[in-house]
PDB file of all heavy atoms in Angstrom:
ATOM      1  N   GLU Q 262    -154.740   1.049 -43.532  1.00  0.00           N
ATOM      2  CA  GLU Q 262    -154.445   2.130 -44.466  1.00  0.00           C
ATOM      3  C   GLU Q 262    -154.273   3.446 -43.733  1.00  0.00           C
ATOM      4  O   GLU Q 262    -153.306   4.208 -43.977  1.00  0.00           O
ATOM      5  CB  GLU Q 262    -155.548   2.239 -45.505  1.00  0.00           C
ATOM      6  CG  GLU Q 262    -155.550   0.979 -46.434  1.00  0.00           C
ATOM      7  CD  GLU Q 262    -156.882   0.939 -47.167  1.00  0.00           C
ATOM      8  OE1 GLU Q 262    -157.766   1.856 -46.984  1.00  0.00           O
ATOM      9  OE2 GLU Q 262    -157.056   0.057 -48.013  1.00  0.00           O
ATOM     10  N   LEU Q 263    -155.220   3.690 -42.773  1.00  0.00           N
ATOM     11  CA  LEU Q 263    -155.101   5.069 -42.020  1.00  0.00           C
ATOM     12  C   LEU Q 263    -153.955   5.008 -41.106  1.00  0.00           C
ATOM     13  O   LEU Q 263    -153.304   6.066 -40.848  1.00  0.00           O
ATOM     14  CB  LEU Q 263    -156.458   5.179 -41.261  1.00  0.00           C
ATOM     15  CG  LEU Q 263    -157.727   5.328 -42.097  1.00  0.00           C
ATOM     16  CD1 LEU Q 263    -158.923   5.574 -41.166  1.00  0.00           C
ATOM     17  CD2 LEU Q 263    -157.550   6.591 -43.074  1.00  0.00           C
ATOM     18  N   ARG Q 264    -153.545   3.827 -40.528  1.00  0.00           N
ATOM     19  CA  ARG Q 264    -152.387   3.790 -39.671  1.00  0.00           C
ATOM     20  C   ARG Q 264    -151.146   4.109 -40.427  1.00  0.00           C
ATOM     21  O   ARG Q 264    -150.237   4.756 -39.932  1.00  0.00           O
ATOM     22  CB  ARG Q 264    -152.350   2.443 -38.953  1.00  0.00           C
ATOM     23  CG  ARG Q 264    -153.419   2.161 -37.924  1.00  0.00           C
ATOM     24  CD  ARG Q 264    -153.267   0.822 -37.259  1.00  0.00           C
ATOM     25  NE  ARG Q 264    -152.024   0.751 -36.314  1.00  0.00           N
ATOM     26  CZ  ARG Q 264    -151.738  -0.258 -35.694  1.00  0.00           C
ATOM     27  NH1 ARG Q 264    -152.471  -1.391 -35.782  1.00  0.00           N
ATOM     28  NH2 ARG Q 264    -150.640  -0.157 -34.916  1.00  0.00           N
ATOM     29  N   ILE Q 265    -151.011   3.520 -41.658  1.00  0.00           N
ATOM     30  CA  ILE Q 265    -149.882   3.792 -42.436  1.00  0.00           C
ATOM     31  C   ILE Q 265    -149.770   5.342 -42.810  1.00  0.00           C
ATOM     32  O   ILE Q 265    -148.709   5.919 -42.758  1.00  0.00           O
ATOM     33  CB  ILE Q 265    -149.907   2.994 -43.817  1.00  0.00           C
ATOM     34  CG1 ILE Q 265    -149.772   1.464 -43.411  1.00  0.00           C
ATOM     35  CG2 ILE Q 265    -148.833   3.461 -44.756  1.00  0.00           C
ATOM     36  CD1 ILE Q 265    -150.020   0.623 -44.701  1.00  0.00           C
ATOM     37  N   ALA Q 266    -150.866   5.847 -43.190  1.00  0.00           N
ATOM     38  CA  ALA Q 266    -150.936   7.295 -43.516  1.00  0.00           C
ATOM     39  C   ALA Q 266    -150.487   8.159 -42.332  1.00  0.00           C
ATOM     40  O   ALA Q 266    -149.740   9.102 -42.421  1.00  0.00           O
ATOM     41  CB  ALA Q 266    -152.289   7.714 -44.044  1.00  0.00           C
ATOM     42  N   GLN Q 267    -151.020   7.795 -41.130  1.00  0.00           N
ATOM     43  CA  GLN Q 267    -150.738   8.525 -39.874  1.00  0.00           C
ATOM     44  C   GLN Q 267    -149.267   8.424 -39.533  1.00  0.00           C
ATOM     45  O   GLN Q 267    -148.604   9.391 -39.113  1.00  0.00           O
ATOM     46  CB  GLN Q 267    -151.593   8.076 -38.713  1.00  0.00           C
ATOM     47  CG  GLN Q 267    -151.374   8.703 -37.455  1.00  0.00           C
ATOM     48  CD  GLN Q 267    -151.702  10.245 -37.525  1.00  0.00           C
ATOM     49  OE1 GLN Q 267    -152.747  10.531 -38.152  1.00  0.00           O
ATOM     50  NE2 GLN Q 267    -150.918  11.066 -36.919  1.00  0.00           N
ATOM     51  N   HIS Q 268    -148.661   7.221 -39.751  1.00  0.00           N
ATOM     52  CA  HIS Q 268    -147.264   7.028 -39.405  1.00  0.00           C
ATOM     53  C   HIS Q 268    -146.456   7.869 -40.175  1.00  0.00           C
ATOM     54  O   HIS Q 268    -145.330   8.462 -39.717  1.00  0.00           O
ATOM     55  CB  HIS Q 268    -146.874   5.577 -39.666  1.00  0.00           C
ATOM     56  CG  HIS Q 268    -145.440   5.329 -39.380  1.00  0.00           C
ATOM     57  ND1 HIS Q 268    -144.932   5.257 -38.084  1.00  0.00           N
ATOM     58  CD2 HIS Q 268    -144.382   4.971 -40.241  1.00  0.00           C
ATOM     59  CE1 HIS Q 268    -143.607   4.948 -38.193  1.00  0.00           C
ATOM     60  NE2 HIS Q 268    -143.350   4.850 -39.469  1.00  0.00           N
ATOM     61  N   GLU Q 269    -146.765   8.142 -41.480  1.00  0.00           N
ATOM     62  CA  GLU Q 269    -145.963   9.003 -42.382  1.00  0.00           C
ATOM     63  C   GLU Q 269    -146.167  10.393 -42.067  1.00  0.00           C
ATOM     64  O   GLU Q 269    -145.402  11.189 -42.439  1.00  0.00           O
ATOM     65  CB  GLU Q 269    -146.403   8.713 -43.833  1.00  0.00           C
ATOM     66  CG  GLU Q 269    -146.110   7.291 -44.278  1.00  0.00           C
ATOM     67  CD  GLU Q 269    -146.622   6.966 -45.668  1.00  0.00           C
ATOM     68  OE1 GLU Q 269    -147.557   7.701 -46.087  1.00  0.00           O
ATOM     69  OE2 GLU Q 269    -146.211   6.050 -46.288  1.00  0.00           O
ATOM     70  N   GLU Q 270    -147.111  10.832 -41.323  1.00  0.00           N
ATOM     71  CA  GLU Q 270    -147.433  12.188 -40.932  1.00  0.00           C
ATOM     72  C   GLU Q 270    -146.923  12.575 -39.567  1.00  0.00           C
ATOM     73  O   GLU Q 270    -146.794  13.703 -39.275  1.00  0.00           O
ATOM     74  CB  GLU Q 270    -148.915  12.483 -41.000  1.00  0.00           C
ATOM     75  CG  GLU Q 270    -149.495  12.401 -42.435  1.00  0.00           C
ATOM     76  CD  GLU Q 270    -150.977  12.558 -42.467  1.00  0.00           C
ATOM     77  OE1 GLU Q 270    -151.552  12.829 -41.356  1.00  0.00           O
ATOM     78  OE2 GLU Q 270    -151.590  12.396 -43.500  1.00  0.00           O
ATOM     79  N   ASP Q 271    -146.578  11.592 -38.743  1.00  0.00           N
ATOM     80  CA  ASP Q 271    -146.251  11.772 -37.303  1.00  0.00           C
ATOM     81  C   ASP Q 271    -145.054  12.692 -37.179  1.00  0.00           C
ATOM     82  O   ASP Q 271    -144.859  13.416 -36.114  1.00  0.00           O
ATOM     83  CB  ASP Q 271    -146.069  10.497 -36.645  1.00  0.00           C
ATOM     84  CG  ASP Q 271    -147.348   9.803 -36.213  1.00  0.00           C
ATOM     85  OD1 ASP Q 271    -148.410  10.562 -36.186  1.00  0.00           O
ATOM     86  OD2 ASP Q 271    -147.354   8.667 -36.020  1.00  0.00           O
ATOM     87  N   ASP Q 272    -144.069  12.610 -38.096  1.00  0.00           N
ATOM     88  CA  ASP Q 272    -142.840  13.375 -37.915  1.00  0.00           C
ATOM     89  C   ASP Q 272    -142.985  14.889 -38.115  1.00  0.00           C
ATOM     90  O   ASP Q 272    -142.074  15.631 -37.802  1.00  0.00           O
ATOM     91  CB  ASP Q 272    -141.777  12.866 -38.946  1.00  0.00           C
ATOM     92  CG  ASP Q 272    -141.367  11.453 -38.626  1.00  0.00           C
ATOM     93  OD1 ASP Q 272    -141.560  11.046 -37.449  1.00  0.00           O
ATOM     94  OD2 ASP Q 272    -140.879  10.763 -39.564  1.00  0.00           O
ATOM     95  N   GLU Q 273    -144.137  15.276 -38.593  1.00  0.00           N
ATOM     96  CA  GLU Q 273    -144.328  16.697 -38.918  1.00  0.00           C
ATOM     97  C   GLU Q 273    -145.219  17.377 -37.920  1.00  0.00           C
ATOM     98  O   GLU Q 273    -146.310  16.917 -37.658  1.00  0.00           O
ATOM     99  CB  GLU Q 273    -145.041  16.891 -40.300  1.00  0.00           C
ATOM    100  CG  GLU Q 273    -144.992  18.311 -40.751  1.00  0.00           C
ATOM    101  CD  GLU Q 273    -145.294  18.395 -42.241  1.00  0.00           C
ATOM    102  OE1 GLU Q 273    -145.710  17.436 -42.841  1.00  0.00           O
ATOM    103  OE2 GLU Q 273    -144.867  19.458 -42.891  1.00  0.00           O
ATOM    104  N   LYS Q 274    -144.736  18.394 -37.219  1.00  0.00           N
ATOM    105  CA  LYS Q 274    -145.515  19.004 -36.115  1.00  0.00           C
ATOM    106  C   LYS Q 274    -146.539  20.039 -36.714  1.00  0.00           C
ATOM    107  O   LYS Q 274    -146.187  20.872 -37.607  1.00  0.00           O
ATOM    108  CB  LYS Q 274    -144.567  19.813 -35.174  1.00  0.00           C
ATOM    109  CG  LYS Q 274    -145.297  20.494 -34.038  1.00  0.00           C
ATOM    110  CD  LYS Q 274    -144.365  21.249 -33.133  1.00  0.00           C
ATOM    111  CE  LYS Q 274    -145.053  21.931 -31.939  1.00  0.00           C
ATOM    112  NZ  LYS Q 274    -144.141  22.634 -31.071  1.00  0.00           N
ATOM    113  N   ALA Q 275    -147.793  19.815 -36.417  1.00  0.00           N
ATOM    114  CA  ALA Q 275    -148.894  20.639 -36.882  1.00  0.00           C
ATOM    115  C   ALA Q 275    -149.009  21.967 -36.201  1.00  0.00           C
ATOM    116  O   ALA Q 275    -149.252  21.964 -34.955  1.00  0.00           O
ATOM    117  CB  ALA Q 275    -150.223  19.913 -36.874  1.00  0.00           C
ATOM    118  N   SER Q 276    -148.724  23.050 -36.795  1.00  0.00           N
ATOM    119  CA  SER Q 276    -148.787  24.384 -36.198  1.00  0.00           C
ATOM    120  C   SER Q 276    -149.220  25.390 -37.230  1.00  0.00           C
ATOM    121  O   SER Q 276    -148.923  25.188 -38.413  1.00  0.00           O
ATOM    122  CB  SER Q 276    -147.418  24.782 -35.578  1.00  0.00           C
ATOM    123  OG  SER Q 276    -146.447  24.948 -36.559  1.00  0.00           O
ATOM    124  N   PHE Q 277    -149.753  26.506 -36.745  1.00  0.00           N
ATOM    125  CA  PHE Q 277    -150.118  27.604 -37.693  1.00  0.00           C
ATOM    126  C   PHE Q 277    -148.910  28.181 -38.378  1.00  0.00           C
ATOM    127  O   PHE Q 277    -148.955  28.685 -39.427  1.00  0.00           O
ATOM    128  CB  PHE Q 277    -150.944  28.587 -36.994  1.00  0.00           C
ATOM    129  CG  PHE Q 277    -152.432  28.198 -36.792  1.00  0.00           C
ATOM    130  CD1 PHE Q 277    -152.980  27.980 -35.578  1.00  0.00           C
ATOM    131  CD2 PHE Q 277    -153.154  28.007 -37.901  1.00  0.00           C
ATOM    132  CE1 PHE Q 277    -154.273  27.640 -35.388  1.00  0.00           C
ATOM    133  CE2 PHE Q 277    -154.535  27.642 -37.778  1.00  0.00           C
ATOM    134  CZ  PHE Q 277    -155.108  27.459 -36.463  1.00  0.00           C
ATOM    135  N   GLY Q 278    -147.734  28.143 -37.569  1.00  0.00           N
ATOM    136  CA  GLY Q 278    -146.557  28.711 -38.173  1.00  0.00           C
ATOM    137  C   GLY Q 278    -146.071  27.964 -39.421  1.00  0.00           C
ATOM    138  O   GLY Q 278    -145.640  28.537 -40.378  1.00  0.00           O
ATOM    139  N   GLU Q 279    -146.298  26.638 -39.437  1.00  0.00           N
ATOM    140  CA  GLU Q 279    -145.979  25.841 -40.620  1.00  0.00           C
ATOM    141  C   GLU Q 279    -146.855  26.156 -41.756  1.00  0.00           C
ATOM    142  O   GLU Q 279    -146.534  25.920 -42.938  1.00  0.00           O
ATOM    143  CB  GLU Q 279    -146.081  24.339 -40.296  1.00  0.00           C
ATOM    144  CG  GLU Q 279    -144.957  23.721 -39.448  1.00  0.00           C
ATOM    145  CD  GLU Q 279    -143.701  23.749 -40.148  1.00  0.00           C
ATOM    146  OE1 GLU Q 279    -143.602  23.258 -41.378  1.00  0.00           O
ATOM    147  OE2 GLU Q 279    -142.685  24.207 -39.592  1.00  0.00           O
ATOM    148  N   MET Q 280    -148.034  26.754 -41.544  1.00  0.00           N
ATOM    149  CA  MET Q 280    -148.982  27.075 -42.565  1.00  0.00           C
ATOM    150  C   MET Q 280    -148.883  28.517 -43.047  1.00  0.00           C
ATOM    151  O   MET Q 280    -149.193  28.797 -44.177  1.00  0.00           O
ATOM    152  CB  MET Q 280    -150.416  26.785 -42.049  1.00  0.00           C
ATOM    153  CG  MET Q 280    -150.536  25.378 -41.452  1.00  0.00           C
ATOM    154  SD  MET Q 280    -152.127  25.126 -40.676  1.00  0.00           S
ATOM    155  CE  MET Q 280    -153.169  24.785 -42.128  1.00  0.00           C
ATOM    156  N   LEU Q 281    -148.534  29.423 -42.168  1.00  0.00           N
ATOM    157  CA  LEU Q 281    -148.520  30.793 -42.507  1.00  0.00           C
ATOM    158  C   LEU Q 281    -147.156  31.464 -42.835  1.00  0.00           C
ATOM    159  O   LEU Q 281    -147.096  32.555 -43.388  1.00  0.00           O
ATOM    160  CB  LEU Q 281    -149.223  31.590 -41.359  1.00  0.00           C
ATOM    161  CG  LEU Q 281    -150.677  31.170 -41.060  1.00  0.00           C
ATOM    162  CD1 LEU Q 281    -151.127  31.901 -39.875  1.00  0.00           C
ATOM    163  CD2 LEU Q 281    -151.560  31.514 -42.230  1.00  0.00           C
ATOM    164  N   MET Q 282    -146.179  30.775 -42.469  1.00  0.00           N
ATOM    165  CA  MET Q 282    -144.794  31.264 -42.748  1.00  0.00           C
ATOM    166  C   MET Q 282    -144.288  30.765 -44.058  1.00  0.00           C
ATOM    167  O   MET Q 282    -144.560  29.629 -44.439  1.00  0.00           O
ATOM    168  CB  MET Q 282    -143.789  30.862 -41.607  1.00  0.00           C
ATOM    169  CG  MET Q 282    -144.142  31.311 -40.198  1.00  0.00           C
ATOM    170  SD  MET Q 282    -144.040  33.098 -39.999  1.00  0.00           S
ATOM    171  CE  MET Q 282    -142.265  33.344 -40.172  1.00  0.00           C
TER     172      MET Q 282
END
Side-chain angles (χ1 to χ4, degrees):
E262 293 163 357
L263 296 180
R264 290 183 68 179
I265 292 171
Q267 180 62 41
H268 177 73
E269 293 172 341
E270 295 172 6
D271 280 342
D272 293 336
E273 191 166 19
K274 184 179 179 181
S276 68
F277 281 115
E279 286 293 312
M280 306 174 82
L281 299 174
M282 300 294 291

